[in-house]
Amino acid sequence: MSDVTLTAGIRQNLLSLQQTSAELTQTQEALSTGNAVNSAAENPSAYFTSQNLTNTANSLSALLDQIGQGLQTIDAADNGLTGITSLLQQALSTVQQAQSDSWTTAAAATGTAVLANSTTTGSLDLTSTTAASTGTVNLNASTLTGVAAVSATLSAGSFTIDAGGSDYVVSIAASATASQVAADIGTATGNAVTATVNGSGDLVLTSTTGSFTVDDNATAEAVGLTTSGNNAASTFTNPTSGGTLTIAQGTSSPYSIAITANEGLSAIESAINSATGGAVTATANSSGDLVLTSATGGYTVGGSAATAVGLTAGSVTAALDNAATAGTLNIVAGGSSYSVTITAGEAASSVAAAIGTATGGAVTAAVNGSGDLVLSSNNASGFTVDDSATAESLGLTTVGNNTTVTPAANSLSGGNLLIAVGSTTFSVSVAANSSLAQIEADINGTSGLGSSGAVTASDDGDGHLVLTSNSAPTGFTVVANAFSTALGLTTNATTNNAPIGSSTTRATLQENYNGLLSQINEMASDSGYNGVNLLGGDNLTIDFNQTGTSQLVIQGVNYNAQGLGLSSITGSAAGSFEDNGALSNLVSSINTAISNVQSQTETFGTNSSTISTRQTFTTAMINTLQTGASNLVVADQNQESADLLTEQTQQQLEISALSIANQANQSVLKLFS
């Protein structure tokens, strides 16, 4: 195109047309965008200032969303506080309803000190055992056979027989026969010594109770029993043969006792007792039989002489010395009669257990170190063991006599028991060492107390003093002092004991109250929004500018039951709904909780108002920034519209001028054609 030459007129018209087109394009863009400045090239200062203001407005818009979510979080917490307030008011109403309900079961106080203790000890060792065996041969039997027949021409006279420590004088009639003499001997000795006549006509004297001696004199010689100058002594007839008697006990070597024929019972006893050292003792019964006894366990009899002394070879087992007789043991305690079934030979420890079980602990039994049964009771009136064969076999009674046991005097020092009922305090004077029954009588005998008064004294059957209100709706107070502490009615001498009654209505209201606390816990847990629970201890931070230098931190609270200072109530003792003092404290605690919730509601309300104010401010600030940004670049639609019309007209005129200039050049060319 370098060979094309434009005239000055065409070139001028063309440049004007280009400028007008550019201006027209700019005006059209301003009208379409509404902005007079659409790029930094058009107006750098206005463009960049507007962009900065717009960015700031956009940042605040983002913060505005956060502020709105913060308001919702506070609203959720406020909803929870409203619900918790309602539940607290219901809990308060429940407690106040319990306060207005009277006890239906009377108040009672039970002492911890045992004030009655009665004991009796049996008279028999129920644990001792003895092994014993009795021979079957009379080792005391002895005989004396005369040395000559009775003289046929006896003169009247007498002689003496020494038997068992007694001297018997036997009188003989003149010309008495042998048979008559034998009869006279039996008569004179009362049959301690008896006599018969053998085939040779000799007198044969016999004793079953031991040895005897016939004193020598003319008459004794005449009947053939003695010889001149010599007394005649009997000889033992058993044992008929000698040998060795053995007695074995435990793991020790057997005891060995040498036995000779016709040795005699006393000698045999001495030999056995000496050999065994008393481990097995030998005695004799009234029939002259050998009796072996051991208190140290069973034993075994053996040896060649066992049969000769009348013992049976073999083991001898030990048996209880005092065995229970089968039957019923009857015990009366506290107005109740208890029957204890006892089996024959039942062990002492088993008997003791049976007594405790049958009486339900009203009377307890044990076995002391001597093997005796020891019966004890804390009943204020003691107890009685009725006499029976079974009771006697246990050593608890004697024939025909019941055993009545009364409580022993206690070691209480005297003092005054103070019982306050309403505005009245009753003083009961109790003497030192008073029994439980006497203490009860002292209390019940005090004017204003007892069955016709405010408080009655009794006992629980285990030796403890029991005070009971006679009017279920009325409680009482045991005033603390050293004496009330000694009775176990107060824990110390300075802390009063205020016994309380019970009511089924209060018990139900206590369950309802605990249910309300559970609902408070659940409501506090459910009051969160978008992961933040202001009632669960979470904090909420709301930023008011994009740099975080302006913010509001909202402190969360723990407003479950525990956080509000409330806890579940259990049981029916002090501290429960049965306790009027506890109810009063609970009313105070709930009112404090309500006050705290209301205060927190106000705090959240203030926070909400602050956030709302900042929300309005931020919205206005965004509008200001956006308006300022717009004002820097906004186009005047009227101006731009007028400019557009002018530019369009100018463009048309410039096109026409260019056309005219072009036609002029063509006219010149025609001159050369």
Side-chain angles (χ1 to χ4, degrees), residues 381-428:
S381 58
F383 64 95
T384 298
V385 179
D386 291 341
D387 179 47
S388 66
T390 299
E392 292 166 11
S393 71
L394 298 173
L396 296 176
T397 62
T398 57
V399 178
N401 299 297
N402 296 336
T403 298
T404 298
V405 187
T406 56
N410 58 58
S411 58
L412 280 176
S413 299
N416 291 322
L417 177 63
L418 305 177
I419 303 173
V421 182
S423 59
T424 303
T425 299
F426 300 95
S427 179
V428 182

Side-chain angles (χ1 to χ4, degrees), residues 246-256 280 297-302 314-316:
T246 61
I247 302 174
Q249 189 175 49
T251 58
S252 302
S253 298
Y255 304 110
S256 180
V280 179
Y299 55 87
T300 301
V301 175
S315 298
V316 180

Side-chain angles (χ1 to χ4, degrees), residues 208-225:
T208 62
T209 59
S211 60
F212 59 91
T213 300
V214 178
D215 294 340
D216 179 50
N217 65 13
T219 303
E221 294 171 6
V223 296
L225 292 176

Side-chain angles (χ1 to χ4, degrees), residues 1-73:
M1 297 295 292
S2 60
D3 57 345
V4 178
T5 303
L6 298 176
T7 64
I10 292 175
R11 185 178 297 281
Q12 182 63 43
N13 286 330
L14 183 59
L15 290 173
S16 296
L17 182 59
Q18 289 175 339
Q19 182 176 355
T20 300
S21 295
E23 291 175 352
L24 181 59
T25 299
Q26 184 176 356
T27 300
Q28 288 175 333
E29 184 179 7
L31 286 171
S32 64
T33 61
N35 291 330
V37 179
N38 288 295
S39 67
E42 297 175 0
N43 188 336
S45 177
Y47 179 79
F48 285 115
T49 300
S50 175
Q51 285 294 102
N52 184 52
L53 293 174
T54 299
N55 290 338
T56 301
N58 290 339
S59 296
L60 290 178
S61 294
L63 289 176
L64 194 61
D65 292 337
Q66 178 209 3
I67 292 171
Q69 291 301 300
L71 278 175
Q72 293 303 111
T73 302

Side-chain angles (χ1 to χ4, degrees), residues 193-278:
V193 178
T194 59
T196 59
V197 182
N198 64 15
S200 300
D202 304 321
L203 286 172
V204 179
L205 276 59
T206 302
S207 173
T208 62
T209 59
S211 60
F212 59 91
T213 300
V214 178
D215 294 340
D216 179 50
N217 65 13
T219 303
E221 294 171 6
V223 296
L225 292 176
T226 63
T227 58
S228 178
N230 298 296
N231 297 335
S234 65
T235 58
F236 290 105
T237 57
N238 292 310
T240 56
S241 61
T244 301
L245 174 67
T246 61
I247 302 174
Q249 189 175 49
T251 58
S252 302
S253 298
Y255 304 110
S256 180
I257 301 98
I259 304 295
T260 59
N262 308 127
E263 184 172 358
L265 180 56
S266 61
I268 294 173
E269 291 176 22
S270 297
I272 293 173
N273 291 334
S274 176
T276 64

Side-chain angles (χ1 to χ4, degrees), residues 258-522:
I259 304 295
T260 59
N262 308 127
E263 184 172 358
L265 180 56
S266 61
I268 294 173
E269 291 176 22
S270 297
I272 293 173
N273 291 334
S274 176
T276 64
V280 179
T281 59
T283 57
N285 62 16
S286 60
S287 299
D289 305 316
L290 180 65
V291 178
L292 300 183
T293 304
S294 175
T296 57
Y299 55 87
T300 301
V301 175
S304 59
T307 303
V309 296
L311 297 175
T312 301
S315 298
V316 180
T317 58
L320 283 172
D321 292 335
N322 301 297
T325 299
T328 299
L329 178 66
N330 191 59
I331 301 174
V332 179
S336 298
S337 181
Y338 305 98
S339 295
V340 187
T341 300
I342 305 297
T343 59
E346 187 170 356
S349 58
S350 176
V351 171
I355 291 172
T357 300
T359 64
V363 177
T364 59
V367 182
N368 65 15
S370 299
D372 307 313
L373 269 180
V374 180
L375 273 59
S376 301
S377 175
N378 292 332
N379 191 275
S381 58
F383 64 95
T384 298
V385 179
D386 291 341
D387 179 47
S388 66
T390 299
E392 292 166 11
S393 71
L394 298 173
L396 296 176
T397 62
T398 57
V399 178
N401 299 297
N402 296 336
T403 298
T404 298
V405 187
T406 56
N410 58 58
S411 58
L412 280 176
S413 299
N416 291 322
L417 177 63
L418 305 177
I419 303 173
V421 182
S423 59
T424 303
T425 299
F426 300 95
S427 179
V428 182
S429 178
V430 179
N433 307 122
S434 293
S435 66
L436 176 56
Q438 183 59 53
I439 295 172
E440 294 174 24
D442 290 340
I443 296 172
N444 293 331
T446 299
S447 178
L449 300 177
S451 59
S452 60
V455 176
T456 297
S458 60
D459 62 83
D460 62 357
D462 290 326
H464 305 121
L465 179 64
V466 178
L467 302 179
T468 306
S469 171
N470 292 329
S471 173
T474 304
F476 60 93
T477 299
V478 178
V479 181
N481 59 22
F483 190 64
S484 67
T485 303
L487 294 175
L489 291 172
T490 60
T491 55
N492 53 57
T494 59
T495 303
N496 297 337
N497 177 19
I500 60 176
S502 62
S503 162
T504 54
T505 299
R506 288 193 180 195
T508 300
L509 291 172
Q510 180 171 294
E511 293 179 5
N512 296 343
Y513 171 80
N514 290 335
L516 289 170
L517 293 192
S518 297
Q519 289 301 314
I520 289 175
N521 291 336
E522 293 175 6

